[in-house]
Amino acid sequence: DAICEEMRLSEYGVHYLVVYPDMNTLRRIYSYYTKMQLEDNNEIVLILPYYETTEMVRSVLSGENNSGNGGSMIDVRKYEKEGSLMIIDAAEAYFSSDTDLMSFVEKLAKQAQSSGKNGISVIADLASFYYFNRIDKLIEYEMSLPTKYDDKMKLKGFCFYHQEDFDRRLTEQQKQMLLEHHGKNLMVVT
């Protein structure tokens, strides 16, 4: 799959916008990518899902729920226990967390370096902003992030948007701002 490969081969510092058409496509992308980054690239992976529960993400990653993930299976408990995999509900991360998400990610990046990891990947579904009717905050949040992260941080950031949300909930101007602000835009076409 071209999108998975493009993500896998991306350099540290990237801040990509990824538009996906449906949940099976999203599951296929995050399960493949997570498996590669944990097993082959020795990274920490932070997943912030919104349209499915954290338990569902664990189930997909472990292969218990095989709907469209291409059979990518990992030992979720093992990776979570060693701190290489974190799955946190996006609504909680963006709206009810005591700590600023970017500060948490920076802490994880330092943790990655001190524990001999190659870096950190963040896969974030931004849909919780729609749920809380905070599209203004979504744009503000995205614009507060750099187009390219500092190389020293060894961070890859992937902002996921469901195609329907992207098309219907954002104005043309908002879409343009988001597309121009990210280092690269990956549109998954089915």
Side-chain angles (χ1 to χ4, degrees):
D1 184 280
I3 299 286
C4 294
E5 206 48 25
E6 181 129 6
M7 286 173 61
R8 191 180 70 76
L9 296 173
S10 62
E11 305 275 323
Y12 286 110
V14 300
H15 180 201
Y16 285 3
L17 181 142
V18 184
V19 178
Y20 66 94
D22 55 52
M23 289 311 294
N24 281 342
T25 303
L26 175 64
R27 288 177 183 141
R28 193 180 73 245
I29 292 170
Y30 76 65
S31 61
Y32 170 85
Y33 183 79
T34 301
K35 181 180 174 74
M36 290 293 121
Q37 298 315 100
L38 290 171
E39 293 179 356
D40 298 346
N41 295 335
N42 190 33
E43 280 189 0
I44 291 176
V45 178
L46 170 62
I47 302 175
L48 303 168
Y50 179 70
Y51 280 126
E52 56 189 2
T53 64
T54 55
E55 279 312 309
M56 178 56 126
V57 172
R58 286 181 183 93
S59 173
V60 169
L61 290 174
S62 66
E64 292 164 20
N65 179 324
N66 242 349
S67 59
N69 73 356
S72 300
M73 289 180 267
I74 61 169
D75 187 340
V76 173
R77 278 197 197 92
K78 177 189 113 178
Y79 286 114
E80 282 187 312
K81 193 172 180 179
E82 71 181 32
S84 298
L85 175 63
M86 270 161 262
I87 304 166
I88 302 169
D89 180 83
E92 199 175 291
Y94 290 113
F95 292 99
S96 62
S97 178
D98 297 336
T99 49
D100 165 52
L101 183 61
M102 208 51 222
S103 301
F104 178 67
V105 169
E106 286 169 10
K107 203 169 95 182
L108 282 180
K110 286 185 180 116
Q111 181 184 320
Q113 283 179 322
S114 66
S115 65
K117 298 284 183 190
N118 292 330
I120 175 174
S121 284
V122 179
I123 297 171
D125 192 323
L126 283 290
S128 60
F129 285 91
Y130 308 124
Y131 178 78
F132 289 104
N133 202 17
R134 298 305 305 269
I135 293 174
D136 56 331
K137 275 277 180 239
L138 166 67
I139 302 299
E140 187 182 303
Y141 173 73
E142 282 277 33
M143 294 302 131
S144 76
L145 300 174
T147 298
K148 186 177 181 348
Y149 294 105
D150 182 338
D151 288 338
K152 290 189 293 276
M153 239 169 99
K154 296 281 192 217
L155 168 67
K156 296 179 183 187
F158 301 99
C159 300
F160 278 79
Y161 289 84
H162 190 290
Q163 182 77 58
E164 222 169 88
D165 289 336
F166 194 76
D167 290 345
R168 295 203 176 117
R169 294 180 184 252
L170 299 171
T171 66
E172 285 306 313
Q173 182 188 8
Q174 289 169 329
K175 283 189 251 189
Q176 205 51 48
M177 283 174 73
L178 288 171
L179 291 168
E180 287 171 7
H181 186 70
H182 287 81
K184 192 168 219 173
N185 304 304
L186 306 174
M187 307 294 174
V188 184
V189 194
T190 50

